[in-house]
Amino acid sequence: ENFERLIGTLINESASYAPNENEMKVTTLQTLLNTMKTKNDAVTTARIATKSDNSNRDKVLYAQGTGMVDTAQAVKAYVHSVFGSDSREYKNIVKLKFTR
């Protein structure tokens, strides 16, 4: 917004604002502004999509009863019941930590 206002001020002062450098001319600055707006809109769109994807991921990973944490705990309990707490299989998986 500030950059857009600056360009507006330069347009209003066009009689006294006549830089020799191409990068500082109003048309070049307007092109830069348009490019920045386009890229900003793309970031906003990607961010919205990412939030949606993260929400879906969380539902799959942390769902009550079917999520990763509950499944891991069920597997640990099953291995414990089949092989016992002194078995190598149980000792290997009991070290794995899963948190919500």
Side-chain angles (χ1 to χ4, degrees):
E1 289 179 24
N2 290 334
F3 191 50
E4 191 169 13
R5 287 185 203 144
L6 174 65
I7 293 171
T9 302
L10 295 176
I11 291 171
N12 291 336
E13 299 293 326
S14 61
S16 61
Y17 183 74
N20 292 326
E21 297 84 5
N22 193 39
E23 299 86 21
M24 301 304 292
K25 292 183 179 180
V26 172
T27 55
T28 306
L29 294 175
Q30 287 174 322
T31 302
L32 176 61
L33 175 64
N34 291 334
T35 301
M36 290 168 63
K37 283 183 175 182
T38 301
K39 289 181 180 182
N40 190 56
D41 291 344
V43 168
T44 301
T45 302
R47 192 171 187 185
I48 291 168
T50 300
K51 279 188 171 187
S52 175
D53 291 344
N54 287 348
S55 177
N56 292 337
R57 178 209 59 202
D58 289 347
K59 288 176 186 174
V60 170
L61 289 178
Y62 305 115
Q64 190 68 32
T66 60
M68 178 181 65
V69 175
D70 291 340
T71 302
Q73 289 173 345
V75 167
K76 286 181 182 183
Y78 176 78
V79 171
H80 181 262
S81 69
V82 171
F83 296 104
S85 59
D86 292 334
S87 69
R88 184 174 49 94
E89 291 84 0
Y90 182 72
K91 287 180 181 179
N92 285 338
I93 66 167
V94 78
K95 297 175 186 175
L96 300 174
K97 304 293 181 198
F98 294 89
T99 58
R100 292 186 200 279

